[in-house]
Amino acid sequence: MQKRLLTLLIGLVASVLFEAAAVEILVTPGQDIHLAVRQAREMRRLHQVPEGDTLFITFADGVYPLTETLFIRPEDSGTPTGPTVFRALNPCKAIIDGGQQLTGWRRPTREELRGVPEHSQERVWVCPAPMVNGRRVEAHQLFSVQERLPEAGLEATDWMSPLVDFRKDTREIWVDEGCLPLDYFTHLEGSEMRVHQRWAIAYLRVKEVSVEDGIAKFRFYDPESRREFEHPWPQPVIKENRGDGKIVSSSFNLLGSPALLDRQGEWLQRSSDGLIYYLTPVRDCGAPDQPVFMPVLDQLLRVDGSLERPVHDILFQGLVFRHSRWNRPNEEGWVTLQAGFPIIDAYKLQEPGLPEKASLENQAWIGRPQSAVSLKGTQRVNFLSCMFDHIGATALDYQEASSDCFVQGNVFTDIGGTALMIGHFPSGGFETHVPFKPHVTEDLCHDFQVLSNSVLNVGADDWGACAINAGYVYNTTIQENIVDGCPWSGICLGWGWTGRLSGMKNNHLLQNTVRNFGLQLHDCGALYTLSNQPGSSIIGNRLEQMGSAPYATNLRAFYIYLDEATDGFTIRDNQMPLPLIGTNQPGSHLKSDIPLP
């Protein structure tokens, strides 16, 4: 029996066709997608969608710029037999875009060139940052059509120089004065230091620098200064044995000062007036010959329900999510505990530790990285064959109380932080090492399928992020994904550093391919696990091409890393160049076809 197909063009008269069991809203570029979502919501409310019919919101080919986050709520839900589907008319031809192309390029005035190296001045062009919703946009990244553009730095993007000292008593970092350009000391506005510290990095806004006996002593703004010098792990090391007899120190780079603008394609934003500087390839070559885009939104899409009133039965199919902003380092620096989770507060405990963990010295309270697409309180809200590219921080994040969801066949590329995050990583007032177990088990994300996704080049800005990260979850399968290009670990499963039962169970890493991991940071694994997860498995994965991490201060890098208190896993049939498995206080219920250390 045929059901009617109702095609609604936004702002036009509806027409009725009798060809399929569906209702469709067709959106074209230039139309307001917020209104399209509202139209679909009203159709559900007024029962204009026949019971069991699918409601399509179909995006024609083109770019759909956003200046405010698209908000999906429980009233937008479909049904199990008739979901609401946000889809591209043609796969990956409809782009949900949180960026704006920079225009108005001009040559800078003499005053605007103050601090720029003389040999670069004839190649500099400037333009104003966009005004969005009455405010000048400030951002931590720019993009061309193809790539993320490098911010002006002392070294090239992936290069660093060694620290001389890390002084907790005075909250200073010391570096060799000789490696800094002379003009740097008088042009600190907007300058920040990126510090390599074990399995994480930090961004610290430079407050002042003094020079004594050839040593430049850096001091930083709060809150990151306090966080950086008080938190015990991870911190930089100075002249330590990295494990092979070689004595090393942690490394740094400086970013954002006009005195550092000396490499083709580099950029910076002056914080006083928001002006964007860009260094073209050759002198007198004219304005930038490629489009340059600035992300203006932190978040493109927010799906917000609760355990009591979930958002359910929604599918996102074939859409592109592009250009999101990561600006937190500009506002309060960036000091992380692990996996890109920023520290709110942390300091060393004296013995004994906490009642839940007497050995704990490294207590920490963390926040959650921002995300281009965030979801909480969802059931059967799925992503199929979408693309996420040129993303500032996390791309896709299921935060809590979500279940029965799949993420399948998507492509993630050029991601500033983690590509896909699932589950609780307790934040706010919950100390992150205390075993987390909610009163209602359903608060945990569960029954997830992460299948056949391609994750390419993550952690572009935060080297401590990973490709896929599932925290407190259960009944979650991560299978047949391809991961290629990770500064730290590839796929991470578990959180909490605890052997206690916490609700994590029946989680599986199956037939994934992970290559080119550990490119910048060690203390990592192609597959990385934490804590007790009964009934779980790591089976049939292909793990290869471990990176050299040239500035690493230890050699702890493994194809499979069973980190603190990992337990409950069956491990077999994994392909690795070497049987390199690391453990840290493993539990007694691990089964492996390779002997564990």
Side-chain angles (χ1 to χ4, degrees):
M1 177 179 178
Q2 289 184 325
K3 296 185 178 180
R4 63 182 181 175
L5 170 65
L6 178 61
T7 303
L8 295 177
L9 301 178
I10 302 298
L12 299 178
V13 177
S15 62
V16 180
L17 302 176
F18 297 92
E19 296 181 358
V23 175
E24 184 175 32
I25 298 173
L26 178 63
V27 189
T28 59
Q31 294 175 328
D32 189 335
I33 61 177
H34 299 273
L35 293 182
V37 172
R38 182 178 297 179
Q39 178 69 29
R41 184 181 306 134
E42 289 299 291
M43 291 179 65
R44 288 285 191 190
R45 184 179 67 86
L46 298 173
H47 306 290
Q48 294 174 350
V49 181
E51 184 69 26
D53 280 13
T54 298
L55 174 56
F56 289 107
I57 302 175
T58 301
F59 293 81
D61 295 1
V63 178
Y64 296 83
L66 292 176
T67 56
E68 63 174 303
T69 302
L70 187 62
F71 179 36
I72 306 298
R73 61 200 76 174
E75 290 80 2
D76 298 314
S77 299
T79 67
T81 57
T84 298
V85 179
F86 294 79
R87 66 174 180 178
L89 183 64
N90 294 296
C92 294
K93 297 293 186 180
I95 301 167
I96 310 300
D97 196 337
Q100 292 188 11
Q101 184 174 345
L102 296 181
T103 59
W105 291 101
R106 61 173 175 81
R107 294 284 288 131
T109 66
R110 183 180 299 274
E111 177 65 20
E112 289 165 347
L113 284 171
R114 284 193 314 112
V116 176
E118 186 173 347
H119 63 272
S120 298
Q121 291 185 0
E122 293 183 340
R123 294 190 286 142
V124 174
W125 285 73
V126 298
C127 77
M131 290 287 293
V132 175
N133 299 327
R135 296 180 65 87
R136 186 73 66 185
V137 176
E138 185 179 6
H140 205 261
Q141 40 301 118
L142 289 186
F143 302 94
S144 69
V145 173
Q146 299 296 331
E147 62 185 352
R148 183 178 303 250
L149 298 178
E151 191 174 5
L154 178 65
E155 304 281 3
T157 303
D158 293 341
W159 290 77
M160 307 192 93
S161 298
L163 301 180
V164 172
D165 207 351
F166 182 81
R167 302 300 299 267
K168 294 182 183 181
D169 53 347
T170 57
R171 294 188 179 178
E172 293 176 339
I173 290 179
W174 293 4
V175 307
D176 181 359
E177 177 198 9
C179 71
L180 305 177
L182 291 177
D183 282 348
Y184 175 79
F185 298 99
T186 55
H187 294 87
L188 298 179
E189 177 193 4
S191 182
E192 63 185 12
M193 180 181 286
R194 180 166 64 185
V195 184
H196 185 297
Q197 40 197 42
R198 301 178 188 265
W199 57 85
I201 63 165
Y203 285 96
L204 310 173
R205 295 171 298 155
V206 176
K207 181 179 180 180
E208 54 189 9
V209 186
S210 61
V211 178
E212 183 178 348
D213 297 329
I215 301 298
K217 302 178 179 181
F218 282 76
R219 289 170 290 278
F220 309 95
Y221 287 104
D222 285 324
E224 64 266 36
S225 178
R226 179 181 58 80
R227 294 167 179 171
E228 172 69 2
F229 291 97
E230 285 188 354
H231 85 282
W233 296 97
Q235 275 190 340
V237 305
I238 302 297
K239 295 182 179 179
E240 287 191 6
N241 188 330
R242 71 175 185 178
D244 60 355
K246 186 175 182 179
I247 305 302
V248 298
S249 295
S250 292
S251 303
F252 79 100
N253 197 359
L254 292 171
L255 303 168
S257 166
L260 306 175
L261 190 66
D262 60 358
R263 293 180 182 84
Q264 171 184 330
E266 286 187 330
W267 71 280
L268 64 88
Q269 183 176 22
R270 197 168 64 190
S271 57
S272 58
D273 58 10
L275 201 65
I276 305 295
Y277 289 63
Y278 180 81
L279 191 63
T280 57
V282 295
R283 60 182 292 183
D284 299 326
C285 71
D289 58 358
Q290 60 177 340
V292 177
F293 298 91
M294 187 176 199
V296 301
L297 275 185
D298 295 349
Q299 190 168 79
L300 308 181
L301 173 66
R302 174 184 169 195
V303 183
D304 202 348
S306 65
L307 194 59
E308 296 77 17
R309 297 191 72 245
V311 180
H312 57 87
D313 298 295
I314 292 179
L315 173 66
F316 297 91
Q317 182 175 6
L319 296 169
V320 177
F321 297 91
R322 178 170 293 165
H323 293 142
S324 68
R325 187 179 70 144
W326 182 53
N327 202 45
R328 200 172 296 175
N330 292 359
E331 298 166 354
E332 57 181 70
W334 189 254
V335 182
T336 62
L337 178 71
Q338 182 168 302
F341 285 91
I343 289 172
I344 297 172
D345 194 16
Y347 56 90
K348 186 179 178 66
L349 283 173
Q350 302 299 319
E351 294 289 348
L354 300 179
E356 300 88 354
K357 191 172 185 180
S359 62
L360 181 69
E361 61 165 4
N362 180 29
Q363 64 172 356
W365 293 263
I366 61 173
R368 197 173 185 109
Q370 63 200 57
S371 55
V373 177
S374 75
L375 306 96
K376 66 178 181 179
T378 65
Q379 295 175 357
R380 299 179 298 281
V381 177
N382 307 312
F383 287 80
L384 176 65
S385 302
C386 292
M387 176 178 286
F388 299 78
D389 67 358
H390 299 341
I391 299 299
T394 304
L396 176 59
D397 186 4
Y398 287 86
Q399 295 182 358
E400 61 184 57
S402 293
S403 65
D404 300 288
C405 300
F406 68 76
V407 179
Q408 182 173 359
N410 303 281
V411 175
F412 300 82
T413 183
D414 187 16
I415 309 300
T418 293
L420 172 60
M421 193 177 295
I422 303 172
H424 275 88
F425 296 82
S427 59
F430 196 98
E431 202 287 321
T432 197
H433 298 90
V434 174
F436 178 75
K437 190 171 184 180
H439 293 297
V440 180
T441 304
E442 287 74 17
D443 271 343
L444 297 182
C445 289
H446 63 93
D447 292 281
F448 268 75
Q449 302 289 318
V450 180
L451 306 172
S452 304
N453 301 283
S454 294
V455 185
L456 312 172
N457 300 321
V458 301
D461 283 322
D462 187 348
W463 292 354
C466 54
I468 300 171
N469 195 0
Y472 284 93
V473 299
Y474 64 94
N475 296 350
T476 291
T477 297
I478 301 172
Q479 184 170 3
E480 296 181 355
N481 301 282
I482 296 175
V483 171
D484 193 341
C486 301
W488 182 58
S489 293
I491 302 175
C492 300
L493 179 56
W495 196 250
W497 295 268
T498 178
R500 297 189 180 191
L501 294 177
S502 60
M504 293 185 290
K505 62 182 179 180
N506 301 332
N507 298 318
H508 306 284
L509 302 176
L510 308 175
Q511 293 94 45
N512 299 285
T513 298
V514 180
R515 62 174 69 99
N516 292 315
F517 69 98
L519 297 176
Q520 295 291 353
L521 305 171
H522 275 175
D523 219 290
C524 67
L527 304 179
Y528 175 97
T529 62
L530 277 170
S531 301
N532 190 4
Q533 303 180 49
S536 298
S537 67
I538 302 173
I539 297 175
N541 300 280
R542 183 180 182 88
L543 314 171
E544 55 191 20
Q545 297 173 9
M546 180 188 298
S548 62
Y551 306 105
T553 55
N554 66 60
L555 301 179
R556 292 181 57 78
F558 310 96
Y559 292 105
I560 298 175
Y561 188 6
L562 310 174
D563 203 357
E564 188 169 337
T566 292
D567 204 358
F569 282 86
T570 296
I571 305 163
R572 59 178 173 82
D573 302 329
N574 298 288
Q575 300 179 51
M576 300 171 274
L578 297 169
L580 196 56
I581 298 179
T583 61
N584 180 10
Q585 303 176 47
S588 59
H589 297 90
L590 292 169
K591 299 177 182 178
S592 174
D593 61 356
I594 296 175
L596 300 179

